[in-house]
């Protein structure tokens, strides 16, 4: 079990062994850092490359009975860093970053994989090139690559429990610059989880050996590991006031209606991305303003700026909904699928398959799971516009 006091001892121990940070090396390597009074730590060194064989990482974890990961890396391939971060999360390992070592650029994404995350101020660095590299592409391919990379990274950040707005900060710094995060920024962007460990309840026990899992889902749906939800946990059920948003509809356009009714007269048709100003009317409709037009839009047609989830073209697969957290929690604990709970604008709780999917994958996965009778026949795909936050 890793707490704040133990983390401070980690930092002191590391500083004793490494007075000066060694430079990042090419290719990933893994060194064990152990002490009789401390859990075993694995140091991930080097640059993330697209062809890195992460089975070596898994073997090092098994060999050393690792409970936490430290990085000494200047970054590299974004998707390989995300892959390593997902392995860290799957094994329920913690991540710890002392200032005496480097974790910048793509490494910051791998760090987010920790189920518990601890870092000293100035130890995590971000900049533009850690997220987007469109060199050597023509204009259309570059735009497509940037859009896909942005969506993938924001989805990963959200899945790891971090604030995807960190991406906006990173994009303000060019590849020849680096922005090292302050303590407050790491807390505000949920890069670290120390605030959670200040709660009276203890942080979750980290796994010391990789779990063995039997997968029974259809081959097209490889689910991430199920989180351990604690009954004593009380989620944030507050609903922020909606003031503004953008049109975000699967048909790429939506209508402002004269009355709060789908069959009502259309005042104007707006394309996706159009800004609208909002005032809640009821649990299904907003009163909206756009230019000289005043009317109504359904909640599912607008991505609200004040809600916590990032806009994405990927789909959620919603399989059920509940009017209270306990019932939703009981449902996911009984399911053999990996599920998430989201607070919706109507105050209900939506239960979805873990993660988000491209439209084609979502359709295929939903069809296979319905045919296998593993999800209800009335399960739906959506953009998640009505979801406020993951609980």
């Amino acid at each position: 079990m890793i707490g704040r006091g133990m983390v401070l001892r980690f930092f002191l121990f590391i500083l004793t062994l490494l007075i000066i940070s060694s430079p990042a090396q090419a290719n990933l390597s893994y060194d064990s850092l152990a002490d009789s009074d401390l859990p075993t730590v694995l140091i991930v060194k080097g640059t993330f490359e697209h062809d890195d064989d992460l089975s070596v990482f898994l073997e090092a974890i098994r060999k050393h009975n690792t409970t936490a990961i430290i990085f000494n890396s200047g970054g590299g391939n974004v998707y390989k860093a995300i892959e390593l971060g997902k392995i860290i999360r799957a094994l329920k390992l913690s991540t710890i970053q002392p200032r005496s070592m480097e974790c910048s650029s793509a490494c910051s994404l791998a760090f987010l994989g920790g189920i518990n995350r601890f870092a000293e101020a100035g130890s995590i660095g971000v900049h533009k090139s850690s997220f987007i590299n469109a060199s050597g592409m023509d204009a259309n391919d570059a735009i497509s690559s940037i859009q896909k990379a942005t969506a993938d990274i924001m989805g990963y950040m959200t899945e790891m429990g971090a604030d995807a707005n960190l991406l906006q900060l990173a994009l303000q710094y060019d590849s020849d610059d680096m922005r090292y995060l302050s303590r407050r920024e790491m807390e505000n962007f949920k890069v670290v989880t120390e605030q959670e460990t200040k709660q009276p309840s203890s942080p979750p026990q980290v796994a010391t050996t990789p779990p063995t899992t039997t997968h029974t889902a259809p081959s097209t749906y490889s689910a991430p590991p199920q989180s351990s939800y604690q009954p004593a946990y009380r989620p944030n059920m507050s609903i922020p006031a909606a003031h503004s948003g953008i049109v975000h509809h699967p048909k790429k356009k939506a209508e402002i209606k004269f009355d709060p009714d789908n069959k009502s007269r259309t005042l104007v048709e707006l394309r996706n991305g159009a800004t609208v100003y909002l005032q809640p009317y009821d649990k299904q409709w907003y009163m909206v303003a756009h230019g000289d037009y005043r009317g109504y839009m359904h909640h599912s047609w607008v991505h609200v700026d004040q809600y916590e989830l990032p806009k994405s073209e990927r789909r959620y697969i919603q399989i059920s909904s509940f009017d209270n957290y306990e019932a939703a929690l009981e449902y996911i604990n009984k399911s053999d699928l990996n599920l998430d709970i989201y607070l919706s604008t109507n105050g209900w709780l939506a239960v979805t398959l873990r993660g988000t999917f491209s439209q084609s994958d979502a359709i295929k996965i939903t069809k296979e799971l319905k045919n296998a009778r593993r999800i209800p026949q009335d399960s739906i795909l959506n953009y998640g516009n009505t979801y406020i936050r993951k609980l």
Side-chain angles (χ1 to χ4, degrees):
M1 187 175 298
I2 296 178
R4 289 174 61 82
M6 183 69 75
V7 172
L8 292 175
R9 294 186 62 204
F10 269 127
F11 289 147
L12 291 174
F13 182 54
I14 294 162
L15 288 171
T16 301
L17 296 178
L18 297 165
I19 301 301
I20 300 176
S21 172
S22 61
Q25 307 164 2
N27 304 320
L28 294 182
S29 63
Y30 315 103
D31 293 337
S32 176
L33 180 66
D35 179 82
S36 58
D37 296 328
L38 297 172
T40 302
V41 176
L42 196 69
I43 303 177
V44 177
K45 296 181 180 180
T47 302
F48 292 89
E49 304 289 352
H50 76 279
D51 57 352
D52 281 326
D53 181 3
L54 295 186
S55 66
V56 180
F57 175 63
L58 286 167
E59 181 57 33
I61 290 172
R62 295 187 182 98
K63 177 180 178 181
H64 299 293
N65 203 26
T66 300
T67 59
I69 304 296
I70 292 175
F71 296 93
N72 192 19
S73 170
N77 183 273
V78 166
Y79 285 101
K80 187 59 63 172
I82 288 176
E83 183 182 350
L84 189 137
K86 289 185 175 182
I87 292 174
I88 291 172
R89 179 59 59 91
L91 300 182
K92 298 185 179 179
L93 304 176
S94 296
T95 49
I96 301 170
Q97 194 57 40
R99 199 168 178 177
S100 61
M101 294 190 186
E102 176 82 0
C103 185
S104 58
S105 192
C107 178
S108 63
L109 296 173
F111 175 84
L112 295 178
I115 192 168
N116 295 305
R117 302 187 293 272
F118 309 90
E120 289 187 307
S123 63
I124 303 291
V126 298
H127 64 180
K128 185 181 296 183
S129 64
S130 71
F131 299 103
I132 294 172
N133 181 8
S135 61
M137 301 180 184
D138 63 32
N140 290 334
D141 288 342
I143 292 172
S144 177
S145 177
I146 289 170
Q147 290 175 336
K148 183 180 186 303
T150 301
D152 289 343
I153 293 163
M154 292 179 73
Y156 169 77
M157 287 179 169
T158 301
E159 183 181 346
M160 295 299 108
D163 187 340
N165 286 320
L166 175 62
L167 180 60
Q168 296 181 7
L169 175 65
L171 293 176
Q172 297 176 31
Y173 295 85
D174 292 330
S175 58
D176 59 352
D177 197 0
M178 188 68 67
R179 176 65 149 79
Y180 288 92
L181 302 178
S182 69
R183 172 70 186 183
R184 176 163 294 185
E185 286 171 332
M186 287 192 284
E187 292 177 349
N188 289 344
F189 288 117
K190 301 179 182 178
V191 173
V192 293
T193 59
E194 285 98 327
Q195 286 183 316
E196 296 176 8
T197 63
K198 294 176 185 177
Q199 300 297 326
S201 58
S202 299
Q205 181 74 40
V206 296
T208 57
T209 57
T212 56
T213 305
T214 301
H215 295 286
T216 57
S219 58
T220 54
Y221 177 57
S222 179
Q226 181 70 46
S227 297
S228 176
Y229 289 90
Q230 300 298 324
Y233 167 70
R234 302 308 306 171
N236 179 5
M237 301 293 287
S238 64
I239 300 178
H243 300 299
S244 62
I246 61 173
V247 176
H248 189 218
H249 194 284
K251 294 182 178 180
K252 310 301 181 184
K253 58 187 178 181
E255 303 163 336
I256 296 180
K257 295 291 187 178
F258 183 79
D259 288 313
D261 187 330
N262 280 325
K263 297 180 180 179
S264 176
R265 176 165 59 92
T266 296
L267 297 178
V268 65
E269 185 177 84
L270 302 179
R271 292 189 175 277
N272 278 6
T275 298
V276 289
Y277 296 94
L278 311 171
Q279 182 176 339
Y281 176 75
D282 59 21
K283 291 185 177 182
Q284 298 294 328
W285 292 84
Y286 295 120
M287 296 176 63
V288 303
H290 176 83
D292 294 332
Y293 295 96
R294 302 290 185 273
Y296 299 86
M297 272 193 165
H298 196 269
H299 282 211
S300 63
W301 304 346
V302 181
H303 177 84
V304 176
D305 296 331
Q306 288 72 40
Y307 295 165
E308 297 179 16
L309 299 178
K311 183 181 77 67
S312 172
E313 297 307 307
R314 293 169 67 81
R315 265 55 167 190
Y316 295 84
I317 301 176
Q318 181 174 325
I319 66 174
S320 191
S321 61
F322 297 87
D323 62 359
N324 68 89
Y325 179 72
E326 288 72 19
L329 183 66
E330 181 180 6
Y331 182 88
I332 68 171
N333 284 336
K334 288 182 177 179
S335 176
D336 63 343
L337 296 171
N338 294 319
L339 307 175
D340 284 323
I341 304 174
Y342 290 89
L343 175 65
S344 296
T345 54
N346 61 4
W348 280 61
L349 303 175
V351 174
T352 73
L353 290 185
R354 171 121 339 131
T356 56
F357 310 87
S358 67
Q359 182 178 9
S360 59
D361 286 347
I363 292 172
K364 188 173 184 179
I365 290 167
T366 302
K367 181 179 179 180
E368 290 189 358
L369 291 179
K370 284 182 178 181
N371 289 341
R373 299 186 181 279
R374 300 188 65 206
I375 62 175
Q377 294 302 306
D378 59 354
S379 297
I380 60 172
L381 313 184
N382 64 62
Y383 270 153
N385 287 338
T386 62
Y387 300 166
I388 295 168
R389 69 178 65 89
K390 185 165 74 171
L391 304 181

